[in-house]
Amino acid sequence: MEELFLPQGNNEFTLFSLEHLLTLSVFIILGACIFLFRKTLRKERYNFIVRLLIFIIMLISEVSLHIWLYWYDSWTYRHSLPLHLSSITLLLSAIMLLTKRYSLFEFTYFAGVGSALQAMVTPDISHYTFPHYRYVHFFIAHGLTIIANLFMVFVNGFLPTFKSIWKAFLWLNAYAILIFMINLWVGGNYMYISRKPLNPTMIDFFGPWPWYIIPLEFVAIATFLLLYLPFALRNFKRKKSL
């Protein structure tokens, strides 16, 4: 049992391995179930119970990570604060889910779902494979960020607008500026704004610091537009049928 929590895993993660594909399938099925049972989940009792359950699991996921890091003397304010985009969007998605605040959804749907999808498809988890804690935590944290936002879309009827794209983009940049200043203060590299990550990523194709930030802005906009596409097609079909 102890080897499941050791700071270094024994097996190399393989992209699109059977376990990776099965993990992705679990969350695809979970999202499909939310869609299929959306009418039942709209009932006040079930709606609250499911939202509360997802909220609790998301919080436990984040808290457990800090306990794990602290337990193995790996927690440091330079690297472990919940300031990376995945952490902050997880926490905001959890709050959004519980409070049903649409203003938070406008940000978490684009910034949270966009970053979580990218992370789950091409995860950066090095030597951690199932059933190691870090593997399980990674996919629960990112997967539930997506599930929380899809729940609000399918069940509670939250729909982003074209204006929401630019709101999310502006808030993301405002947050990035704040994080850059925090990085200068603590000597960290949250959101990889101050330097490239050590492990190979798509950022390596975008040139040296700080120039790689400019292509990342276009990647963010393209991702947001892609996430908005289903709603744009829905609006187009409705206008065409009138």
Side-chain angles (χ1 to χ4, degrees):
M1 180 66 72
E2 185 179 355
E3 63 269 15
L4 301 181
F5 295 92
L6 292 175
Q8 289 296 330
N10 296 322
N11 299 313
E12 187 78 23
F13 174 82
T14 303
L15 188 66
F16 301 133
S17 62
L18 179 60
E19 63 184 7
H20 183 201
L21 293 175
L22 287 175
T23 303
L24 294 177
S25 298
V26 168
F27 287 98
I28 292 172
I29 292 171
L30 185 56
C33 287
I34 290 175
F35 177 78
L36 292 173
F37 296 102
R38 62 191 182 281
K39 291 183 179 179
T40 301
L41 292 171
R42 285 170 187 160
K43 295 179 181 179
E44 186 174 352
R45 179 183 177 185
Y46 297 125
N47 188 282
F48 177 74
I49 290 174
V50 173
R51 286 190 295 109
L52 180 62
L53 179 61
I54 299 174
F55 170 82
I56 291 172
I57 296 174
M58 293 175 82
L59 283 191
I60 290 175
S61 169
E62 184 64 24
V63 171
S64 70
L65 175 62
H66 294 277
I67 293 174
W68 181 78
L69 290 170
Y70 182 79
W71 184 266
Y72 288 105
D73 295 323
S74 298
W75 198 98
T76 167
Y77 64 88
R78 289 185 176 181
H79 309 291
S80 307
L81 293 172
L83 297 177
H84 278 295
L85 188 59
S86 58
S87 293
I88 197 66
T89 53
L90 179 145
L91 294 172
L92 290 177
S93 293
I95 296 171
M96 178 274 300
L97 189 67
L98 191 64
T99 62
K100 297 192 289 187
R101 288 188 60 181
Y102 180 77
S103 57
L104 285 176
F105 169 79
E106 287 185 291
F107 179 75
T108 60
Y109 175 75
F110 290 108
V113 173
S115 61
L117 278 173
Q118 183 274 328
M120 292 183 74
V121 173
T122 56
D124 179 21
I125 46 178
S126 304
H127 300 286
Y128 302 116
T129 56
F130 185 84
H132 194 280
Y133 162 76
R134 282 294 284 124
Y135 180 95
V136 175
H137 165 269
F138 181 91
F139 281 99
I140 286 179
H142 290 89
L144 288 187
T145 297
I146 298 172
I147 293 299
N149 284 275
L150 290 183
F151 186 93
M152 298 308 291
V153 171
F154 295 151
V155 180
N156 285 68
F158 278 19
L159 302 175
T161 65
F162 186 71
K163 189 177 180 181
S164 301
I165 296 174
W166 307 107
K167 283 184 180 180
F169 184 70
L170 289 174
W171 277 115
L172 179 62
N173 277 272
Y175 181 68
I177 292 172
L178 173 64
I179 292 302
F180 179 73
M181 292 187 290
I182 292 175
N183 283 339
L184 291 177
W185 182 32
V186 303
N189 190 29
Y190 293 106
M191 289 183 66
Y192 306 119
I193 291 177
S194 300
R195 56 187 177 274
K196 292 182 179 182
L198 295 176
N199 295 322
T201 65
M202 68 173 181
I203 295 176
D204 295 328
F205 298 100
F206 296 156
W209 185 90
W211 304 113
Y212 67 77
I213 295 175
I214 297 175
L216 286 178
E217 295 275 41
F218 288 100
V219 169
I221 293 175
T223 302
F224 290 5
L225 289 171
L226 188 62
L227 288 171
Y228 181 68
L229 182 59
F231 302 96
L233 293 174
R234 174 181 175 273
N235 294 337
F236 176 77
K237 288 180 180 180
R238 283 197 168 187
K239 289 181 180 178
K240 193 175 180 180
S241 63
L242 294 176

